[in-house]
């Protein structure tokens, strides 16, 4: 039913043309042809931050992840800033592909079905301070691009040997992006005003577009899946740090969410321009913000409770600020291990910044149908098809 609804929205919203080529029904948006047959992506190449990091930062800085991270699904730390799987894991699984190996992980790495260049704390633009002297990753988007260039030059044996040609393998792969939240966070925590952070957004988006084009040009890829940024004002680390911020009906910090919404407006405008500049690319813009925000406005619809309170943390209204997840702290002279809540599957937020596996799974199910996408086609249909 969701797929049929998406198709109806596709006709109305895009005023698209429908045709039949070689007995396969396709849709055409501008000069890009989308197939309604399931896409056969041989690989996924992901660029992003902690929302999609499957082990990059942990490989570069091993001290970053420890128990109880990973406990729900992997039963041990697995390089992910969550108790379990991320949206990118569910994307890979839905496409019958293995979980992505982090490019920076030299152990147990397999790039046969793609690679993950995302690292936690990554930004689009050059960060002001980098780990270990600051809170942001040195692997910002332009570095992730150069890593992709390096990977693409590796010998054929590291990739899909059964595909027709290496060029075809990269062309048919899915390229995913989930990055931008830390660019906003960097501004907020650098004592910039809301207006100043907003003023920085166009340059951030321009940098994204430049890197996107570079990845497009070097990859030869045709299918791109871009997440916008989530409701940052609903995260405990924002709510705890800026307690006087005006709250919306969900209890989120309204001014900070408005910055995220402005970022998303400019990102969507950039995607429209990218489609004009790159007419052979099938670019899907995914409104992750709305999918995530629904977990705060209607948590019970998805089986959640206390959406603004961190599952793994300590202190205050949001269970955040007095002790980080996995740390051992002193409370009234007694050492306390900051561990997980009893029922993480009922919680939205994991550690004050990141989402639980349950929330990631719920968001994936929402966005994979096409209900939050532009054009509104499901993930499995979001690929370019060359007209015969």
């Amino acid at each position: 039913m969701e797929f049929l609804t998406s198709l109806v929205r596709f006709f109305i919203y895009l005023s698209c043309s429908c045709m039949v080529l070689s007995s396969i029904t396709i849709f055409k948006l501008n000069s890009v042809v989308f197939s309604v047959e399931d896409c056969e992506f041989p690989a996924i190449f992901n660029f992003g931050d902690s929302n999609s990091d499957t082990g990059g930062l942990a490989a570069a800085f091993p001290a970053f992840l420890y128990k109880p991270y990973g406990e729900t699904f992997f039963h041990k730390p697995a390089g992910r800033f969550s108790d379990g799987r991320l949206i990118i894991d569910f994307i890979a699984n839905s496409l019958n592909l293995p979980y992505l190996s982090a490019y920076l992980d030299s152990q147990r790495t397999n790039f046969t079905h793609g690679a993950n260049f995302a690292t936690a704390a990554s930004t689009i633009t050059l960060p002001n301070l980098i780990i270990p002297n600051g809170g942001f990753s040195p692997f910002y988007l332009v570095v992730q691009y150069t890593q992709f260039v390096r990977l693409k030059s590796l010998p054929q044996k590291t990739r899909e040997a059964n595909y027709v040609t290496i060029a075809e393998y990269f062309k048919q792969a899915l390229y995913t992006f989930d990055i931008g939240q830390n660019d906003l966070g960097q501004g907020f925590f650098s004592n910039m005003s809301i207006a100043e952070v907003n003023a920085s957004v166009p340059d951030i988006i321009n940098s994204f577009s430049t890197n996107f084009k570079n990845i497009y040009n070097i990859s030869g890829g045709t299918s791109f899946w871009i997440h916008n940024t989530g409701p940052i004002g609903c995260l405990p680390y924002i709510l705890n740090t800026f307690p006087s911020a005006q709250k919306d009906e969900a209890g989120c910090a309204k001014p900070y969410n408005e910055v995220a919404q402005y970022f998303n407006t400019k990102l969507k405008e950039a995607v429209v321009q990218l489609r004009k500049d790159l007419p052979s690319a099938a670019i899907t813009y995914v409104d992750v913000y709305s999918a995530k925000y629904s977990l705060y406005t209607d948590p019970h619809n998805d089986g959640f409770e206390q959406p603004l309170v961190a599952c793994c943390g300590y202190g205050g209204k949001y269970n955040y600020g007095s002790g980080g997840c996995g740390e051992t702290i002193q409370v009234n002279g007694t050492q306390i291990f900051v561990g997980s809540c009893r029922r993480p599957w009922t919680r939205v937020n994991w550690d004050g910044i990141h989402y639980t596996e349950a929330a990631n799974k719920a968001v994936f199910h929402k966005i994979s149908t096409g209900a939050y996408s532009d054009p509104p086609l499901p993930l499995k249909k979001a690929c370019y098809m060359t007209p015969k």
Side-chain angles (χ1 to χ4, degrees), residues 45-373:
F45 295 99
N46 181 66
F47 304 84
D49 53 28
S50 58
N51 289 309
S52 59
D53 180 359
T54 56
L57 194 72
F61 303 97
F64 263 84
L65 286 182
Y66 26 74
K67 293 181 179 180
Y69 285 91
E71 67 174 16
T72 294
F73 182 79
F74 301 101
H75 308 298
K76 61 180 181 180
R80 292 155 175 82
F81 284 77
S82 178
D83 62 315
R85 291 166 292 180
L86 310 177
I87 294 173
I88 190 66
D89 292 313
F90 292 108
I91 288 176
N93 186 67
S94 74
L95 298 176
N96 297 315
L97 295 173
Y99 299 138
L100 291 184
S101 295
Y103 174 80
L104 292 171
D105 190 354
S106 62
Q107 300 179 0
R108 303 178 300 279
T109 296
N110 184 341
F111 297 136
T112 301
H113 295 286
N116 193 353
F117 302 94
T119 65
S122 284
T123 52
I124 294 172
T125 56
L126 178 66
N128 295 333
L129 292 172
I130 62 174
I131 298 168
N133 298 316
F136 296 94
S137 169
F139 307 106
Y140 63 110
L141 189 54
V142 70
V143 176
Q144 294 182 27
Y145 158 69
T146 58
Q147 291 171 337
F148 174 72
V149 173
R150 168 61 179 159
L151 176 67
K152 194 170 184 289
S153 70
L154 292 177
Q156 180 176 344
K157 65 180 181 180
T158 64
R159 301 190 290 265
E160 177 55 81
N162 296 325
Y163 226 66
V164 179
T165 65
I166 289 299
E168 192 68 11
Y169 165 82
F170 280 103
K171 180 179 180 180
Q172 297 299 329
L174 177 65
Y175 294 82
T176 56
F177 297 80
D178 192 331
I179 193 167
Q181 177 177 310
N182 292 318
D183 293 87
L184 304 184
Q186 177 175 239
F188 297 146
F189 287 89
S190 298
N191 295 319
M192 293 173 64
S193 68
I194 294 293
E196 288 172 331
V197 178
N198 267 334
S200 72
V201 167
D203 285 342
I204 295 170
I205 297 301
N206 286 340
S207 180
F208 175 84
S209 294
T210 297
N211 282 285
F212 182 95
K213 287 181 178 180
N214 288 340
I215 292 167
Y216 170 83
N217 288 330
I218 193 67
S219 69
T222 55
S223 302
F224 300 87
W225 180 266
I226 301 174
H227 291 183
N228 67 12
T229 200
I232 191 172
C234 298
L235 302 178
Y237 89 116
I238 292 292
L239 291 166
N240 181 75
T241 306
F242 307 102
S244 63
Q246 180 186 357
K247 304 301 189 295
D248 64 15
E249 65 276 8
C252 301
K254 186 177 180 180
Y256 297 87
N257 274 351
E258 288 175 344
V259 174
Q261 291 171 322
Y262 176 64
F263 175 95
N264 292 339
T265 296
K266 303 308 288 185
L267 177 62
K268 191 167 186 179
E269 290 174 2
V271 168
V272 171
Q273 186 60 48
L274 286 168
R275 288 175 180 149
K276 294 177 181 177
D277 296 342
L278 310 172
S280 294
I283 306 173
T284 303
Y285 172 89
V286 187
D287 186 11
V288 169
Y289 180 100
S290 294
K292 287 183 174 179
Y293 191 60
S294 71
L295 303 184
Y296 299 99
T297 57
D298 299 296
H300 300 298
N301 287 349
D302 293 288
F304 295 112
E305 59 189 24
Q306 296 182 280
L308 301 176
V309 179
C311 172
C312 186
Y314 188 86
K317 180 178 179 180
Y318 305 106
N319 199 35
Y320 181 85
S322 298
C325 184
E327 294 180 353
T328 299
I329 62 174
Q330 288 275 349
V331 179
N332 297 324
T334 302
Q335 284 196 334
I336 294 178
F337 175 72
V338 181
S340 171
C341 58
R342 292 185 177 180
R343 301 197 304 159
W345 59 89
T346 67
R347 305 295 280 275
V348 172
N349 191 277
W350 169 241
D351 61 1
I353 304 175
H354 308 100
Y355 289 77
T356 61
E357 171 175 296
N360 286 325
K361 185 176 183 179
V363 172
F364 165 75
H365 283 305
K366 292 173 186 290
I367 66 173
S368 63
T369 64
Y372 292 84
S373 297

